């Protein structure tokens, strides 16, 4: 199974989502963007300017200019595009959908919003340009930062104790729905 997490806009959460998905599915992780993944996911994570196509791998792609990146995206079983309310992030998301074409392998993570109004604004922008989008919703959560600083996946953080299960309930339920989508007809 090959999964690509893409958005040319930085700071939308590609690396935390890619890392957590890779760890929870026991996959390798490759990125063409600098981050701490090689330290928090030793043996399995590699940062390479030119990614190598291998099986059972989650790719964290910051840009598609490098040779081979678009090829891997096109051959992916699932393509995950995190999108925040940031204007550039929305623009890049629409650009990416136009570039690779919207199909049922693609899903958008509507993420990092603070309230329903902000969430609805992101959805309206996306849905006025594309119909039949697979959308997942991740309201702002400390789990993103905690995952990167601790090297624990979202599942590991959720299962840490009763308090974490309480604080991360909504995020984790949606994350499980995302993992199900990724595992489906791979
Ligand atoms: N649901 C969320 N809760 C908190 N932060 C989020 C969420 N979704 C995305 N983020 C963003 O993820 C960022 C961290 O990821 P980062 O590694 O910077 O992203 P990228 O790999 O896309 O450059 C944070 O700065 C935060 O703004
Ligand atoms: Mg990154």
């Amino acid at each position: 199974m090959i999964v690509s997490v893409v958005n040319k806009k930085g700071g939308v959460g590609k690396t935390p989502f890619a890392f957590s998905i890779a760890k929870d599915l026991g996959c390798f992780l490759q990125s063409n963007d600098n981050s701490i993944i090689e330290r928090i996911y030793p043996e399995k994570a590699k940062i390479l300017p030119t990614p190598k196509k291998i099986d059972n791998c989650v790719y964290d792609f910051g840009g598609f200019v490098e040779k081979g990146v678009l090829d891997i995206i096109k051959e992916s079983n699932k393509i995950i595009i995190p999108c925040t309310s940031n204007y550039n992030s929305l623009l890049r998301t629409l650009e990416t959908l136009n570039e690779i074409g919207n199909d049922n392998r693609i899903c958008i993570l509507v993420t990092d919003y603070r309230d329903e109004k902000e969430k609805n604004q992101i959805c309206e922008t996306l849905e006025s340009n594309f119909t039949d989008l697979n959308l997942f919703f991740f309201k702002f959560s400390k789990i993103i930062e905690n995952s990167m600083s601790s090297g624990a996946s979202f599942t590991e953080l959720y299962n840490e104790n009763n308090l974490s299960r309480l604080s991360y309930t909504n995020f984790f339920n949606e994350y499980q729905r995302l993992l199900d989508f990724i595992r489906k007809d791979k």
Side-chain angles (χ1 to χ4, degrees), residues 13 28 61-62 67 75 96 103 106-108 116 145 166 184:
F28 294 104
F61 286 139
K67 194 162 76 43
E75 287 180 44
T96 305
D103 64 41
I106 298 179
C107 72
I108 313 271
E116 288 301 296
E145 191 187 322
L166 202 64
K184 203 176 58 182

Side-chain angles (χ1 to χ4, degrees), residues 9-17 111-112 138-141 144 171:
K9 173 78 179 69
V12 296
K14 290 183 296 290
T15 302
F17 276 101
T111 195
D112 206 15
F138 296 98
K139 192 173 181 175
F140 171 86
S141 170
I144 296 271
F171 189 102

Side-chain angles (χ1 to χ4, degrees), residues 10-11 13-16 31 33-35 60-62:
K14 290 183 296 290
T15 302
S31 180
D33 232 3
N34 207 22
S35 70
D60 164 17
F61 286 139

